Amino acid sequence: MANKGDGGEKATLHVRGESHDLNVLKASIGPDVIDIQNLYRRTGLFTFDPGYTSTASCESQITFIDGEKGVLLYRGYPIDQLAEYGDYLETCYLLLYGDLPNQEQRRKFDADITYHTMVHEQMRAFFQGFRRDAHPMAIMVAVVGALSAFYHDSTDINDPHQREVATRRMIAKVPTLAAMAFKYSLGQPFVYPRNDLDYASNFLHMCFSVPSEDYHVNPVLARAMDRIFILHADHEQNASTSTVRLAGSSNANPFACIAAGIASLWGPAHGGANEAALNMLEEIGTPERIPEFIARAKDRSDPFRLMGFGHRVYKNYDPRARIMQRTAKEVLAEVGDPNDPLLEVARQLEEVALNDEYFIERKLYPNIDFYSGITLRALGFPTSMFTVLFALARTVGWIAHWREMISDPSNRIGRPRQLYTGPVMRDYVPMSQRGAGLGDQVHDTDRNPES
Ligand code: SDX
């Protein structure tokens, strides 16, 4: 896959009286890149890019985002077409293997996933160690990492067969663990997966059925759930995917890498934004309070941000947000709440923001998290489960990137450098010669951590 770029376009760097020609590597679509892999060896200089706003961390063929146009492609297929005509397991196959499956490939893949949805019975004990009010994301980080303790026979990252087994185990079992985390928080018994249900229906069944009565999955809600999984499946080198790649570059086992991705996704600036966005809409409560929150979002002295708004890459409407808004209306109509007041607050908040110079100037648009909370709440999930659902769906994207990295022969451990501006070398100072110094500035909490 390595795109060498020899003989092609060059970028010339003039620094400290020397000129250095750097290869420009060509993209199939989107920005080309300047290859700086040998820059330090040739110049003794690092590049500096905290937050990686101008840095390509890898070469990839999985997902492409055109932030200016608001375009998202999974292996070249537009997200709106996949959401309209496909389903989540087909999308999993596409992301993992590079193209849409034929009939036989689809049948075999579905069977492999369906017949591996149960988890080792002893995993149930893990949940007992948590308080019932533990955040389900805390449980997910723990139990997904614990999979490596139960499925040790698929942790050798150098064995393609074991990588394949781990891949299918995680796609099959993460929904079961997510449903178990939900049931545990409710104090209800775990519900085993059923092999006669499709992926999304099975998940809803494990979440909402109870032993005391029959549960029939609503096909409209199952279709909405499946579409939500498609929308969240992958998004190139976002924070959690980059976390998985960095963890995987040390040859950590795949279960540990995906657990690291779950931990990173939890942050409210990333996957935790769906929970934060719904909490924000509930705090706003009525359209009359929108101006107050818009003012706070614009006030640099106020840490408040409009949750579900803005994006590092999208400087246009997030295409997933449009599909999610439509899905929200479908689900609300189906559950008999077409006039959910929060949807109206969200709609008016979006309208006000998109006509405000502050948001226009910074190209801040709704992202996938802006409408997902309303939809997920209408499906019956509490806000604490929203990011768990994001993690469930993104598991395939994390695994696809992990596989792409592990199977790349040029793969090596990720080890960024730094711009060091700390103290230069100095000799040790005996206690008798130390002045008042920093010690006097230690805060009470540091002295008494339990305070
Ligand atoms: C996801 O990367 C991915 O692909 C992620 C994701 C995926 O599928 O994996 O798409 C999922 O994480 C979506 C994003 C969810 N997060 C939120 O909705 C949280 C709210 N949004 C922001 O925190 C912010 O927009 C980020 C984190 C999403 C992006 O931050 P950036 O790119 O670092 O932008 P920035 O913080 O430098 O902001 C640029 C300016 C700043 O103002 P100025 O300093 O120029 O005056 O825009 C302002 C920011 O203050 N700004 C906002 C804002 N987002 C940015 N102001 C108010 N409300 C906001 N939401």
Side-chain angles (χ1 to χ4, degrees):
M1 188 168 74
N3 169 340
K4 291 297 176 206
D6 292 335
E9 182 185 356
K10 304 285 184 195
T12 303
L13 174 68
H14 300 288
V15 63
R16 292 176 180 167
E18 293 182 341
S19 293
H20 301 275
D21 284 344
L22 303 169
N23 287 330
V24 175
L25 306 185
K26 309 302 283 180
S28 47
I29 38 176
D32 296 334
V33 301
I34 298 172
D35 184 352
I36 58 166
Q37 296 177 77
N38 297 321
L39 183 72
Y40 176 60
R41 183 170 54 77
R42 291 167 59 182
T43 68
L45 294 165
F46 295 146
T47 58
F48 186 62
D49 187 15
Y52 311 117
T53 52
S54 303
T55 294
S57 61
C58 62
E59 180 180 349
S60 181
Q61 299 175 344
I62 299 171
T63 292
F64 175 73
I65 305 169
D66 184 326
E68 293 303 326
K69 296 180 184 149
V71 170
L72 171 59
L73 308 177
Y74 289 168
R75 299 283 190 180
Y77 293 97
I79 189 67
D80 50 317
Q81 293 182 27
L82 292 169
E84 181 70 27
Y85 306 114
D87 62 49
Y88 180 70
L89 278 189
E90 180 184 70
T91 298
C92 288
Y93 189 98
L94 172 66
L95 289 169
L96 291 171
Y97 306 113
D99 217 327
L100 296 169
N102 62 31
Q103 201 83 37
E104 178 53 19
Q105 290 163 335
R106 178 65 202 267
R107 184 199 61 74
K108 187 178 178 323
F109 185 70
D110 279 18
D112 278 355
I113 300 302
T114 300
Y115 291 98
H116 289 89
T117 49
M118 288 178 71
V119 295
H120 191 292
E121 196 66 6
Q122 263 181 256
M123 289 208 77
R124 300 161 73 97
F126 274 107
F127 292 80
Q128 303 310 325
F130 286 96
R131 289 168 40 141
R132 289 284 179 176
D133 62 354
H135 196 291
M137 280 297 278
I139 297 175
M140 289 302 286
V141 172
V143 294
V144 171
L147 287 172
S148 55
F150 284 87
Y151 301 107
H152 212 76
D153 61 342
S154 60
T155 53
D156 177 356
I157 58 106
N158 297 307
D159 178 345
H161 172 69
Q162 290 196 32
R163 295 204 299 263
E164 192 60 37
V165 170
T167 294
R168 299 191 178 199
R169 274 175 167 159
M170 277 191 274
I171 294 172
K173 298 179 192 300
V174 165
T176 306
L177 294 172
M180 291 169 77
F182 180 43
K183 284 305 204 185
Y184 187 75
S185 71
L186 297 174
Q188 291 182 0
F190 298 142
V191 175
Y192 288 101
R194 278 180 38 181
N195 295 343
D196 61 331
L197 297 176
D198 64 65
Y199 195 85
S201 299
N202 195 21
F203 178 66
L204 293 177
H205 156 73
M206 291 190 284
C207 287
F208 296 113
S209 72
V210 289
S212 44
E213 58 188 32
D214 288 341
Y215 174 77
H216 300 288
V217 179
N218 178 323
V220 173
L221 303 188
R223 178 70 189 122
M225 187 82 264
D226 192 87
R227 188 186 303 142
I228 290 167
F229 289 161
I230 293 172
L231 296 178
H232 288 82
D234 192 50
H235 216 236
E236 64 142 87
Q237 308 309 323
N238 57 85
S240 53
T241 299
S242 298
T243 300
V244 170
R245 279 181 174 263
L246 197 55
S249 73
S250 73
N251 294 344
N253 77 69
F255 304 104
C257 294
I258 300 308
I262 294 172
S264 170
L265 185 76
W266 194 359
H270 188 15
N274 52 19
E275 178 177 353
L278 192 88
N279 291 337
M280 174 192 74
L281 291 174
E282 286 181 333
E283 188 183 356
I284 295 172
T286 63
E288 289 69 32
R289 293 195 66 197
I290 287 173
E292 170 195 339
F293 283 83
I294 291 282
R296 284 188 58 196
K298 293 158 62 174
D299 177 358
R300 294 181 70 125
S301 65
D302 188 331
F304 172 79
R305 286 195 162 179
L306 223 46
M307 301 317 283
F309 248 79
H311 199 277
R312 171 61 57 76
V313 178
Y314 287 123
K315 301 310 171 189
N316 200 323
Y317 216 101
D318 182 335
R320 303 168 298 173
R322 289 194 195 290
I323 301 167
M324 188 59 79
Q325 186 187 40
R326 194 175 74 238
T327 304
K329 289 174 182 169
E330 281 174 22
V331 170
L332 287 167
E334 184 64 21
V335 301
D337 189 9
N339 303 312
D340 180 341
L342 284 194
L343 186 61
E344 183 55 20
V345 170
R347 197 192 59 72
Q348 292 194 33
L349 179 62
E350 173 189 342
E351 190 177 334
V352 171
L354 294 185
N355 290 289
D356 183 294
E357 194 45 46
Y358 172 93
F359 294 90
I360 295 169
E361 183 187 317
R362 293 166 178 80
K363 297 185 177 179
L364 302 176
Y365 290 85
N367 61 51
I368 189 165
D369 296 307
F370 190 65
Y371 286 103
S372 59
I374 295 171
T375 315
L376 298 175
R377 187 179 74 151
L379 283 170
F381 293 104
T383 49
S384 61
M385 276 295 290
F386 290 2
T387 310
V388 171
L389 301 175
F390 194 151
L392 185 168
R394 184 55 57 87
T395 293
V396 67
W398 289 328
I399 292 171
H401 284 274
W402 172 75
R403 291 160 58 103
E404 182 177 68
M405 177 192 69
I406 290 288
S407 53
D408 180 348
S410 65
N411 169 46
R412 54 200 305 211
I413 192 166
R415 203 312 187 177
R417 301 303 303 273
Q418 63 183 5
L419 168 65
Y420 178 72
T421 55
V424 297
M425 191 183 290
R426 53 183 171 165
D427 292 329
Y428 184 80
V429 179
M431 181 60 80
S432 59
Q433 295 172 25
R434 294 176 198 168
L438 284 179
D440 287 1
Q441 297 164 26
V442 172
H443 300 292
D444 286 347
T445 46
D446 294 346
R447 286 199 184 95
N448 312 301
E450 67 279 358
S451 63

